[in-house]
């Protein structure tokens, strides 16, 4: 009886470890414009902590995220970005707003980019 309990306990420990990274998602996105095809950032999304790493930059998962859309947000004194990824198709829309140094709203620049994201798996 002790051996059976020991085996069950050990198997549960290993199964918990196997499913521990379910809250981590790795995706790689590619812009639709051919001149930016070489830029393919990898987003490491932690759904548990709501934090996203993109190289050295950081973003957060918006609380407006739904089952069909993943919304990532980044803001600093220079710019704000909202990246909306369709979870079914992988298509994304990135809306960037660069703030004016003069504080004049007419001097602000807005850029919209589109592309496709694919989920990637870790090698090990």
């Amino acid at each position: 009886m002790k051996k059976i309990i020991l085996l069950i306990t050990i198997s549960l420990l290993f199964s918990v470890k196997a499913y521990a990274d379910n809250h981590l998602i790795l995706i790689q996105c590619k812009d639709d414009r051919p001149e930016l095809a070489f830029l393919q950032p990898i987003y490491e999304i932690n759904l548990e902590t709501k934090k996203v790493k993109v190289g050295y930059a950081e973003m957060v998962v918006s609380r407006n995220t739904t089952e069909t859309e993943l919304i990532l947000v980044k803001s600093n004194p220079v710019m704000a970005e909202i990246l909306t990824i369709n979870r079914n198709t992988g298509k994304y829309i990135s809306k960037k707003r660069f703030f004016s140094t003069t504080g004049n709203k007419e001097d602000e620049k807005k850029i919209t980019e589109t592309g496709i994201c694919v989920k990637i798996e870790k090698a090990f």
Side-chain angles (χ1 to χ4, degrees):
M1 186 67 176
K2 290 181 184 179
K3 289 181 181 181
I4 293 174
I5 293 175
L6 181 64
L7 285 173
I8 292 172
T9 305
I10 290 173
S11 65
L12 285 174
L13 287 174
F14 283 117
S15 67
V16 169
K17 178 66 177 162
Y19 296 105
D21 286 342
N22 282 348
H23 60 276
L24 286 177
I25 301 172
L26 287 176
I27 59 173
Q28 187 169 25
C29 297
K30 179 181 169 186
D31 198 287
D32 282 341
R33 295 177 290 178
E35 65 270 15
L36 295 178
F38 66 94
L39 291 175
Q40 296 185 8
I42 296 176
Y43 293 81
E44 183 179 313
I45 304 167
N46 187 329
L47 294 175
E48 193 172 272
T49 63
K50 306 288 187 197
K51 293 187 179 184
V52 180
K53 291 182 185 177
V54 190
Y56 293 111
E58 292 186 0
M59 299 178 87
V60 294
V61 177
S62 172
R63 54 189 162 154
N64 295 331
T65 295
T66 65
E67 288 294 318
T68 58
E69 283 187 333
L70 184 61
I71 302 171
L72 310 178
V73 181
K74 175 172 67 172
S75 182
N76 59 44
V78 177
M79 68 165 285
E81 179 181 7
I82 298 174
L83 180 71
T84 305
I85 304 169
N86 185 311
R87 288 181 162 186
N88 296 323
T89 63
K91 293 191 180 270
Y92 77 84
I93 297 174
S94 172
K95 295 182 180 179
K96 296 178 183 175
R97 186 170 126 197
F98 294 90
F99 302 117
S100 167
T101 56
T102 62
N104 191 353
K105 286 208 173 219
E106 286 82 31
D107 294 338
E108 289 183 355
K109 186 174 183 181
K110 295 180 182 179
I111 298 174
T112 301
E113 299 172 341
T114 60
I116 189 100
C117 296
V118 293
K119 185 176 178 182
I120 57 175
E121 299 294 328
K122 289 183 178 178
F124 33 133

